[in-house]
Amino acid sequence: MRTTEQSSLYNNLETLSTKELLVNINTEDTKVPVAVAAAIPQIEKLVDGIVERVPKGGRIFYLGAGTSGRLGIVDASEIPPTYGVDGLFIGLIAGGDTAIRKAVESAEDKKVGGWDDMQPYEPTVNDVVVGIAASGGTPYVVGALEEARSRGMLTACITCNAGSPVAEACDIPIEVVVGPEFVTGSTRMKAGTAQKLVLNMISTATMIRLGHVKGNKMLDMQLTNKKLVDRGTRMIMGETDIADYEYAKSLLLKYGQVRAAVEAYESGEERQ
């Protein structure tokens, strides 16, 4: 039996108090970072592979179904506002956009579905495909990995079962075995948390390696709200000798990006 389908270590959940439920869920959640840490060597291989391919025009495709697919979409959708890069990370879910909010019957069982969903993006050998499947057996994901791998693309998976079909179908299997769920089979819990942590690591490390962070700041973030404008203004002040908040803000709004504003100021193009 797959680890993610094994019976919970807890029973008679309906008899527990609210505090007992919360404490026990939290106890299980503490196991997740330990399992993720064990997978760092594989995550490292994937990030290095991505960083090698992106300068050649490569992109990163996340494919999954259900919770796994939604997590991939969330991670991919955060890259443009956070790092100012569009189209680099692409999240695809079995069943299409409808499945983001509502389950689409049998969509994940179509083995050609994942590869078919990639076709509008005209995948190339420089692209990277990351299949996300807690169970490790989702046909939508397995089929895409097999086809991509056969075409020379770098392939990886994030799964919470050892020795699964998705692991066999890819070059870099990232297996984060977190054990049985608190509610038997509810992989949106520990498995979902593990997948989210790994996705954070992949995309964040990649963007840092590609030069979108200086020190510990996101120099290319999009200015989508007042909070980010304020953050960007203070970043400009921290990166330069500008002490005037309003002047720094005016540079940010003029150039639309911290990096561009700092470069213009330091080059002498912009001086008070």
Side-chain angles (χ1 to χ4, degrees):
M1 182 184 294
R2 294 171 179 164
T3 302
T4 52
E5 293 297 322
Q6 290 177 0
S7 183
S8 172
L9 302 179
Y10 306 80
N11 206 347
N12 301 314
L13 301 185
E14 70 280 8
T15 68
L16 301 181
S17 69
T18 299
K19 182 176 181 179
E20 288 172 324
L21 290 170
L22 299 178
V23 168
N24 290 332
I25 290 171
N26 181 247
T27 297
E28 288 303 299
D29 286 344
T30 62
K31 300 176 182 179
V32 176
V34 177
V36 171
I40 285 177
Q42 292 295 88
I43 301 172
E44 179 185 10
K45 289 180 184 178
L46 176 57
V47 171
D48 286 344
I50 292 172
V51 171
E52 178 184 340
R53 287 163 176 76
V54 169
K56 302 174 184 177
R59 299 157 297 174
I60 303 88
F61 288 87
Y62 291 146
L63 284 91
T67 297
S68 297
R70 295 181 191 107
L71 288 169
I73 288 172
V74 167
D75 194 75
S77 67
E78 291 291 345
I79 300 304
T82 306
Y83 298 107
V85 179
D86 289 310
L88 182 58
F89 284 79
I90 300 165
L92 300 174
I93 185 172
D97 287 352
T98 299
I100 296 173
R101 294 180 179 273
K102 185 178 180 181
V104 176
E105 186 175 356
S106 302
E108 70 178 67
D109 296 327
K110 298 177 182 177
K111 194 170 183 180
V112 298
W115 181 252
D116 285 347
D117 284 351
M118 290 176 59
Q119 296 318 293
Y121 299 92
E122 301 181 353
T124 74
V125 70
N126 291 318
D127 292 327
V128 180
V129 179
V130 181
I132 313 168
S135 68
T138 308
Y140 176 90
V141 176
V142 174
L145 289 172
E146 289 177 343
E147 187 65 30
R149 193 180 192 185
S150 73
R151 294 170 181 264
M153 300 165 69
L154 180 65
T155 56
C157 74
I158 306 171
T159 183
C160 296
N161 285 299
S164 65
V166 292
E168 295 176 2
C170 71
D171 303 302
I172 306 174
I174 299 171
E175 299 172 316
V176 187
V177 183
V178 294
E181 296 288 359
F182 180 71
V183 176
T184 299
S186 183
T187 52
R188 73 181 185 88
M189 300 184 75
K190 286 194 299 182
T193 300
Q195 291 172 325
K196 180 66 169 69
L197 291 177
V198 173
L199 288 166
N200 285 347
M201 295 167 78
I202 292 169
S203 58
T204 303
T206 293
M207 299 314 290
I208 294 171
R209 289 284 315 280
L210 290 174
H212 293 282
V213 171
K214 182 177 180 182
N216 55 20
K217 304 295 194 303
M218 303 173 290
L219 295 184
D220 302 320
M221 65 181 183
Q222 295 178 354
L223 308 177
T224 54
N225 56 50
K226 292 181 179 179
K227 177 190 71 175
L228 295 180
V229 171
D230 177 69
R231 181 191 298 168
T233 300
R234 297 184 187 283
M235 286 168 62
I236 291 172
M237 295 173 70
E239 290 292 322
T240 67
D241 60 4
I242 298 174
D244 184 335
Y245 180 92
E246 291 302 325
Y247 176 58
K249 181 178 178 180
S250 70
L251 289 181
L252 178 63
L253 295 178
K254 177 179 179 178
Y255 289 93
Q257 190 182 69
V258 174
R259 184 192 301 273
V262 170
E263 289 177 350
Y265 181 79
E266 291 183 340
S267 70
E269 292 179 27
E270 294 286 349
R271 289 292 176 179
Q272 284 178 295

